[in-house]
Amino acid sequence: MSEMSFEQMLDASLKSIHAGEIVTGKVISVKPDEIALNIGYKSDGIMTRSDYSADNTVDLTTVVNVGDEIECKVKKVNDGEGQVVLSHREALASKASEELKDAFENQTVLTGKVVQVVKGGLNVEVNGARVFIPASLVSDTFERDLTKYQGQDIQFVITEFNPMKRRVIGDRKQLMAATKKEQHDKLFSELQVGDVRTGVVKNLTDFGAFIDLGGADGLLHISEMSWGRIENPKKLFKSGQEVKVLVKEINGERIALTRKFPDENPWKDAEIKFAVGTVVSGKVARMTDFGAFVELEKGIDALLHVSQISREHVNKPSDVLEVGQEIEAKIVDLDVDSHKISLSMKALSEPERKEDLDVADVDIEAVGKAEAERVDEE
């Protein structure tokens, strides 16, 4: 048997490769747009910038060093010049495809980066492989604009895997629904009337605000937003704002909230501060034909009936008063339980006469209408 030539022995010591094979190469030289690798074959491997990275502007000398080992996929054994064409990106994609298949079969939760927002949904990259998430499966609520997801890392599961048709579908919606269900159940297992919670304003209406408590929404009615009078919730809150609320009532899935915290109740010392006979000052907050509502302090309004404005006859409060005007008056009636205070400016006039405060001097029907209006407003 004849001895093998040096060339034959060299060929025998080198492994054989074929297109599609995954190999590991050691970097022997790096240029800005090309990498040469020793893959243990008779020819070195060449990898271009586009086969290394999706970024066509990257300078390879800044990300790769001589001696680095890189996993590659063989694209061609001979490029016509005796060199092997390699691709790091395709190696990653092949590996990622196997990972996607495994994730599909086991319903594993994956995390990927949104690399493209298209009309029908999101293209997400996971270790070099692409997954498409249809717009209908991006969220458990309808979202018209998906551009906010560009560049974000999001979680999802694979619901369809067909690499032959290049069809790999992800679903984020079911994860969000499952998370919300878990949060919902946890919230209702813990929540009790009287709890103080911090929530986020989710939606504003003319009658109140819906507050996200983390698992369910609670209604903060306009009448419960403050001890004082609120004209429009949108002037007090904005969507996304964090607010501290008190759980007032739980009725099945409905949660009623309030911001009327007991320790902030302006009426708690009213019997002392606003005792009958006390002279107080306040600001005219609003007026009706029957009287003016005067804010004595935040959360406490008193009624100044038209008949108690002056010793002279007054047809309607707006004839002599203006909204925002500071006035001084005497408290002639106090009902703490009903949160009602009645004032009289006339009682401050000299000389004071008993008949000024006599019931016969007041239009009973008008007072009743004014008080009914106050209750409706509150």
Side-chain angles (χ1 to χ4, degrees), residues 17-33:
I17 61 172
H18 55 82
E21 183 179 351
I22 303 297
V23 298
T24 299
K26 180 174 287 189
V27 177
I28 54 179
S29 68
V30 186
K31 297 177 182 178
D33 60 352

Side-chain angles (χ1 to χ4, degrees), residues 173-191:
K173 179 179 178 179
Q174 64 173 271
L175 291 184
M176 294 184 67
T179 299
K180 284 188 176 180
K181 175 67 166 57
E182 184 179 336
Q183 292 175 338
H184 172 278
D185 293 346
K186 184 175 185 294
L187 176 69
F188 276 94
S189 70
E190 299 174 345
L191 199 65

Side-chain angles (χ1 to χ4, degrees), residues 71-86:
E71 196 171 40
C72 316
K73 185 174 184 178
V74 178
K75 294 178 67 175
K76 292 181 181 179
V77 175
N78 190 330
D79 65 354
E81 297 182 2
Q83 294 177 317
V84 181
V85 180
L86 304 172

Side-chain angles (χ1 to χ4, degrees), residues 2-50:
S2 60
E3 293 184 0
M4 295 176 64
S5 66
F6 175 77
E7 185 177 350
Q8 289 174 324
M9 287 189 293
L10 181 61
D11 287 342
S13 68
L14 298 172
K15 63 182 180 182
S16 61
I17 61 172
H18 55 82
E21 183 179 351
I22 303 297
V23 298
T24 299
K26 180 174 287 189
V27 177
I28 54 179
S29 68
V30 186
K31 297 177 182 178
D33 60 352
E34 186 178 274
I35 305 170
L37 303 101
N38 178 359
I39 56 174
Y41 187 61
K42 61 183 179 181
S43 299
D44 291 331
I46 298 296
M47 185 188 303
T48 63
R49 176 192 285 134
S50 61

Side-chain angles (χ1 to χ4, degrees), residues 226-237:
S226 171
W227 285 106
R229 184 173 181 270
I230 303 298
E231 294 182 0
N232 189 331
K234 295 178 182 178
K235 292 182 178 181
L236 187 64
F237 301 113

